[in-house]
Amino acid sequence: MSHFEIVKKSKTSKARAGILHTPHGPIETPVFMPVGTQGTVKSLTPQHLHDINAQIILSNTYHLALRPGSKLIKEAGGLHKWIAWPKPILTDSGGFQVFSLSKMRKITDTGVTFQSHIDGSKHLFTPKSVIDFQHDFGTDIMMPLDICTPYPATEEETARDLAITTQWETEAAEYWRSLNTPQLLFAIVQGGMYPHLRDRSVEALIKLDLPGYAIGGVSVGEPIDKMYPIIAHTTPQLPENKPRYLMGVGLPENLEYAIAQGVDMFDCVLPTRLARHGQLFTTTGKLTIKNEQFKTDPLPIDPLCQCYTCTHFSRSYLRHLFMAKELLAMTLLSLHNVHYLIQFVQKIRDDILAS
Ligand SMILES: [Zn+2]
C-alpha cells in the first residue's frame, strides 16, 4: 500500500507537492517539522504549534527511552496522548545522540552499548530494541538505528559505518514487518561525503522497500559546498513515489535548495535554538533582537509576518523581555521562528501547486 501521493510536480525544478498519510492524519509536503526532543518543542505548547499550522512534530527515541522510559509512555496511553499532541509524530532513532551525547560507546554487530548522559547507567540499543521503543511510543514515523558518520571522516571509516548501518537497517525492516503495525518505518541513507558510498547505501535500502527514505549524515559540520552536492547526488536516486526526508537541515536557503532537488520533509532544532539566543528569521535576513537599535523600535520583528508575536508585540518590548531574561521571550521568539519556517515551506508548496 502506498502512503504517499504526489499531487503536483513543479514545472521549473524537481520539486514535488504531495500528501503523506500517517495513522494520525495526512501531512502536506514539502513540510517543515518542528523538533520536540523531550516530547516538547521548547517553550511552545501544543496549542501554539496547532495555531501556526505545525502538521507533525519530531521527538527523540534516545532521550525518551532513557527518561522517562518507553514503558511509562506506553502505559500512559502512548506519546500522542501523554504530550497532548493529536497530530502526527516522527521519532528519530537516537543513533545520533548515542554518538554525540553518551560518554562511552561500543559498537558491535548486535548494536551499540553506551553510558547514559543523564546518570551514567549502561544501555544497549539494538536495531530491534529501537523499533520496540518507538512501537511503545506509538509514533507515526519510526526511524531505524544507524551510525551518523561525523565530518570529517575517511573513506574507510565511512564505509565501515555504512556496512554496520546497512545491516542494522535490514534487521530493523524485517522486525518492523513482523510487527504488522500501521506505524511507518523510513530508511536512512548514509555514506558521508562519498558519492559512491551514498550509491551503495541507496542500492541496499531500496531493496527493503520501506514507506519513506531519509538522507542522514548531512548538516554534521561540513561546509555548504560539500552538503549541496551530496543532496543533489542522492535525492534523485531515491524512489520517486516515496517521501524523501532530509535530516537536520533547517536554514531557509537550505530548504529552498533541497526542495528544488525533490526533498519533501525537513526537521531542525535551529528555529527554537536561535530564538533562545535572540536570533530571528525575517524576510529581509536575520535579526538580532538584543541590538541597541531595537530599544525603542515600535515595529514587529517582521512587518510581513502574521504570527501572534508579530501581530501583538514590538521589537522594543521583545528586546526588553530578552534582556531581562524573561521566560516569555523564549516563547514569543520561538513562536515567530517556527512559524516563519513553516510558512516559508508552505509558500514553496503553494508555488509548486501554482507552477
Ligand atoms: Zn512573526
Side-chain angles (χ1 to χ4, degrees), residues 305 307 310 336:
C305 181
C307 82
C310 290
H336 166 80

Side-chain angles (χ1 to χ4, degrees), residues 89 108 144:
I89 301 175
T108 64

Side-chain angles (χ1 to χ4, degrees), residues 8 30 46 52 57 73 78 87 96 116 118 127 176 192 223 242 245 247 249 278 280 325 330:
K8 179 91 187 254
I52 59 176
I57 61 169
I73 292 173
K87 292 201 247 180
F96 183 80
S116 160
I118 302 166
W176 168 75
K242 305 272 176 82
Y245 161 31
M247 303 179 79
V249 173
L280 303 160
K325 297 190 169 59
M330 305 300 126

